[in-house]
Amino acid sequence: MPWTNYHGHCYYCDGKFAPEAYVEKAIELKMPAIGFSSHCPFEGGHAWNMAMEDLPKYLQEISALKEKYATDIEVYTGLEMDYIPEVIDDSMPHIKEANLDFIIGSMHYTGVFEDGRFCEIDGPHSKFVEGLKDIYQQDVEAMITHYFELMRAMVEQETTQILGHLDKVKIQAEQGILFSQFEDWYRVEVSRTLEKLKETNTILEVNTRGIYKKKTVDTYPSKWILQLAYELGVPIMLNADAHHPDELNAEFVPTAKMLKEIGFKELSVLKKGEWVALPFSSRGVEWG
Ligand SMILES: [Zn+2]
Ligand SMILES: [Zn+2]
């Protein structure tokens, strides 16, 4: 049985290779579908966001790959979208005109510095600490509550079908010194966010990147969050957040086993242009 991956970064943002290298590797791995999700371009975006002038080339290059490999694999064009009120959201003209197959909404920024820089929660710990001090006056609960509030507003957007790496902010916890994902306020924010996913019929991404990059011991989100998502009936999908062709299905086997243990029976996939939920095992999805 095959795997699929719809969260991937190529050299248009911070990935390592041309899109074609990922498609070739996916065919070698017998994947029936692959999606690209470069970091969206926007005014003031950081170095790892795609440059605005590259967007047309990105769309064109993937569109050419769709045709070239049409008999071997389904290729999908997406973006990993940031959400910063009044700066970047999925209603921006360049995003709407891109005619994307899918959008993954992911939080990489929370809050804005006085000088207009956006505070990264996904970058070096020093940047997080700077934002915590300068924007949130050392109130870590306020900062992370804001992160989840923005996330809920993001998934309320009409075209954001997938929520990427829900709890990526946990990489900033410093082994629980700064905050813990088991504190009551944190759990409340997570629960509210899962309820929002259920209400908006948004797919929750299970992202393996933290494990194979050795930043975390488990997936984004953590197992306890996935258990809650299962109880609520939130649909899930499995993604590698690959920045290199060799990462396309990294850690999928143990993660699928963990998802089966929780009770999940289906993974959402984009197949023939439609989102469908397919049964899966630790060897892949029943693509049919
Ligand atoms: Zn991301
Ligand atoms: Zn990503």
Side-chain angles (χ1 to χ4, degrees):
M1 284 195 291
W3 292 114
T4 58
N5 179 56
Y6 303 88
H7 190 154
H9 299 276
C10 57
Y11 63 19
Y12 279 96
C13 55
D14 57 351
K16 299 284 179 280
F17 292 89
E20 190 161 21
Y22 297 80
V23 174
E24 284 172 348
K25 182 71 187 188
I27 293 169
E28 191 188 312
L29 293 168
K30 298 190 167 39
M31 288 181 153
I34 182 174
F36 289 93
S37 60
S38 272
H39 291 292
C40 70
F42 69 93
E43 205 60 50
H46 289 194
W48 44 265
N49 284 95
M50 188 194 296
M52 193 66 94
E53 63 268 25
D54 284 344
L55 182 60
K57 273 193 281 175
Y58 169 77
L59 300 172
Q60 220 170 43
E61 193 165 332
I62 296 170
S63 164
L65 292 172
K66 281 188 195 208
E67 275 186 43
K68 183 172 174 185
Y69 293 99
T71 55
D72 303 304
I73 189 167
E74 296 177 25
V75 178
Y76 292 103
T77 317
L79 282 174
E80 184 175 16
M81 288 281 306
D82 290 293
Y83 181 75
I84 305 174
E86 284 157 54
V87 176
I88 181 68
D89 61 49
D90 66 18
S91 73
M92 298 278 166
H94 68 291
I95 303 299
K96 288 192 113 167
E97 286 159 17
N99 253 324
L100 301 166
D101 296 317
F102 69 96
I103 287 176
I104 301 175
S106 297
M107 296 297 301
H108 302 103
Y109 301 101
T110 299
V112 187
F113 290 103
E114 262 180 24
D115 61 9
R117 282 177 303 131
F118 305 114
C119 174
E120 270 183 66
I121 62 92
D122 191 19
H125 187 61
S126 59
K127 295 275 180 224
F128 179 85
V129 170
E130 189 191 352
L132 177 60
K133 181 170 140 280
D134 292 356
I135 305 172
Y136 298 94
Q137 290 76 49
Q138 304 286 19
D139 187 344
V140 78
E141 182 178 333
M143 184 171 188
I144 293 168
T145 299
H146 189 210
Y147 162 87
F148 282 114
E149 281 167 358
L150 289 169
M151 189 180 290
R152 291 194 289 273
M154 176 176 73
V155 301
E156 276 190 338
Q157 300 177 103
E158 224 178 279
T159 55
T160 300
Q161 298 112 321
I162 304 153
L163 172 64
H165 50 65
L166 176 144
D167 65 350
K168 195 154 206 188
V169 73
K170 74 185 171 191
I171 62 172
Q172 306 292 355
E174 293 284 280
Q175 277 82 41
I177 297 167
L178 214 46
F179 64 92
S180 157
Q181 57 175 316
F182 302 109
E183 288 174 72
D184 286 346
W185 63 265
Y186 188 100
R187 285 176 177 274
V188 168
E189 289 304 318
V190 166
S191 292
R192 281 184 184 150
T193 305
L194 292 176
E195 276 157 22
K196 182 60 76 183
L197 296 183
K198 177 73 186 162
E199 186 189 310
T200 54
N201 200 26
T202 305
I203 299 163
L204 173 66
E205 174 191 71
V206 182
N207 180 313
T208 59
R209 185 162 178 80
I211 308 173
Y212 65 80
K213 293 302 283 181
K214 304 203 167 14
K215 281 207 162 191
T216 56
V217 292
D218 56 4
T219 47
Y220 308 118
S222 300
K223 190 175 178 184
W224 69 268
I225 298 175
L226 290 166
Q227 276 161 335
L228 267 179
Y230 173 70
E231 284 160 27
L232 279 169
V234 175
I236 56 162
M237 74 186 303
L238 181 55
N239 279 329
D241 203 346
H243 288 59
H244 187 291
D246 290 345
E247 295 169 351
L248 280 172
N249 60 359
E251 295 292 330
F252 277 15
V253 172
T255 303
K257 279 185 188 156
M258 181 265 287
L259 294 171
K260 294 291 278 187
E261 269 168 34
I262 292 174
F264 286 105
K265 292 182 179 59
E266 293 175 329
L267 293 175
S268 294
V269 296
L270 190 50
K271 186 180 178 187
K272 295 195 174 107
E274 303 281 335
W275 285 101
V276 288
L278 298 180
F280 73 102
S281 74
S282 58
R283 288 173 295 124
V285 288
E286 285 181 25
W287 191 264

